Amino acid sequence: MLKGKRNKTKGKTNNVTPFIPEGDFYYTKGVEAFKKRKFDIAIKWIQKAIEDKPYFPLYKCQLSIIYTETGAYHKANQLLTEVLKTGEYVDCYYLAANNYAHLGLLQDAKKYAQMYLDKKPEGDFSDDAAQLLDYIEIGDEDEEEIFSLEDEDELIILQETAFYHIENNDWEKAIPFIEEIMENFPEQKLAVHDYAQALFYTGKKEEAMHIEEDMLEDYPNNLQSHLNLALFYYETGDSDYLEHIQIIDNIYPIHEEQKLRIAEVFAKTENYSLAYERYQNVSGEQAKRRASYYKWYSVTAYHSGYPSKALRLWEEGLRRHPKLSKEEGPWAFKD
């Protein structure tokens, strides 16, 4: 029967229309690879889409987003600049602002975020752009504070030193550096949340919780306050931590530091399924400088039913951060 069917169609093969891929096909394949976090493959597909339709802004914007995910912020902004030269594709302003923030160019980040909001106040990225402006805390539009190079160098040294002590859980040693940041660089609002953590883990738990509770009264959507209070309440046995977990679960930030912090808080509060999802969306290269990334990601993987992955993460963490050998492996943490 099958043979007869082949005979009937024989001679018609010349009428088959060949499939010639076009830009939309390449773009779809690229987006599929991007969602699977196969960035190298995604880049190749999107580049082919751009070759097919070089003046189509969506393709270049998508490629810029992939570059952002891989930490290639300059490449991403080169593409966005090309798009803006050929037309008014407003989303590019927000995407560029995000990249400038990652590069530490906060004045440029503020400029482009504000341009996006001016042009598209109810746009898809309006909340993110407003959050970015809050995050960088540069101050009033009419009064920009520009640090000298010496000031910037001093701030970087203070931040890196505080970060080192925090990563090593040496909270007592971290406190003087955090206090100096708060005193000399009051626009660095994140230092207040680091200070609250330092107080909490050096025994001043009530004071730490009051700082964050007061902050939430003034800024109810402050992510860092919700993160700290979720941890503080959990570790003191207060069931109110669940309220903050629910709020955090509805927040999907763009900044890698915030993504990582959310994943870690979920892990530390034993919300492993939530943590595992968030860790999968953290860009590895930035996170790998942290021993805590390997510790809590491996714990999360182990308790999410992926013991082999947990072991691989733990072993990689030991190679990069030998100090982890002083701690127990992911299997030692309770469910």
Side-chain angles (χ1 to χ4, degrees), residues 9 31 45 60 88 92 94 100 110 141 148 154 166 176 184 189 193 211 233 249-250 252 255 281-282 303 317 324-325:
T9 57
V31 171
W45 281 118
K60 289 184 178 180
E88 186 84 340
C92 290
Y94 168 70
Y100 281 127
K110 178 186 178 183
E141 286 185 356
S148 68
E154 180 188 356
I166 290 171
N184 296 333
K189 302 299 183 184
H193 304 290
I211 287 174
Y233 290 158
D249 190 30
N250 290 315
Y252 289 85
H255 302 289
N281 290 315
V282 170
H303 290 286
L324 280 176
S325 62

Side-chain angles (χ1 to χ4, degrees), residues 136-266:
I136 59 180
E137 290 289 344
I138 294 176
D140 190 86
E141 286 185 356
D142 298 323
E143 185 180 2
E144 294 182 353
E145 183 172 353
I146 302 175
F147 297 141
S148 68
L149 290 176
E150 291 81 5
D151 287 336
E152 290 182 358
D153 288 343
E154 180 188 356
L155 176 59
I156 290 170
I157 291 170
L158 289 170
Q159 288 176 326
E160 287 297 315
T161 306
F163 170 79
Y164 173 81
H165 291 310
I166 290 171
E167 270 293 286
N168 286 280
N169 293 316
D170 289 334
W171 296 101
E172 289 281 4
K173 293 180 181 178
I175 287 176
F177 298 99
I178 299 171
E179 288 177 332
E180 193 168 346
I181 293 171
M182 292 167 62
E183 181 178 352
N184 296 333
F185 304 94
E187 74 287 346
Q188 298 294 318
K189 302 299 183 184
L190 287 176
V192 176
H193 304 290
D194 289 336
Y195 184 62
Q197 281 195 85
L199 290 177
F200 186 87
Y201 290 114
T202 53
K204 299 176 182 178
K205 297 182 178 181
E206 290 294 328
E207 185 178 350
M209 288 189 279
H210 285 321
I211 287 174
E212 296 295 7
E213 288 163 350
D214 291 344
M215 184 78 74
L216 269 189
E217 284 189 14
D218 295 330
Y219 307 99
N221 296 320
N222 190 296
L223 174 60
Q224 298 299 327
S225 292
H226 285 296
L227 288 166
N228 274 353
L229 286 175
L231 267 182
F232 297 167
Y233 290 158
Y234 172 81
E235 295 196 15
T236 55
D238 188 335
S239 61
D240 283 349
Y241 86 93
L242 290 169
E243 177 184 339
H244 296 282
I245 291 294
Q246 289 173 354
I247 292 171
I248 297 165
D249 190 30
N250 290 315
I251 298 174
Y252 289 85
I254 55 170
H255 302 289
E256 293 301 319
E257 288 290 325
Q258 292 177 326
K259 290 180 184 178
L260 185 59
R261 185 78 205 290
I262 287 176
E264 187 172 304
V265 166
F266 283 154

Side-chain angles (χ1 to χ4, degrees), residues 13-82:
T13 53
N14 290 336
N15 295 326
V16 175
T17 302
F19 172 64
I20 302 174
E22 295 183 346
D24 288 345
F25 171 79
Y26 298 132
Y27 174 76
T28 300
K29 298 292 287 185
V31 171
E32 288 174 357
F34 174 69
K35 288 179 178 178
K36 296 176 182 176
R37 302 191 69 76
K38 296 179 179 179
F39 297 131
D40 290 342
I41 296 173
I43 287 170
K44 289 177 181 178
W45 281 118
I46 301 296
Q47 285 175 335
K48 288 178 75 68
I50 292 172
E51 289 172 10
D52 187 68
K53 295 181 180 178
Y55 299 107
F56 194 53
L58 177 62
Y59 297 164
K60 289 184 178 180
C61 287
Q62 182 61 50
L63 183 56
S64 79
I65 290 170
I66 299 172
Y67 281 143
T68 296
E69 282 292 316
T70 61
Y73 305 118
H74 287 295
K75 279 187 177 181
N77 270 1
Q78 285 174 0
L79 284 168
L80 295 171
T81 301
E82 289 177 15

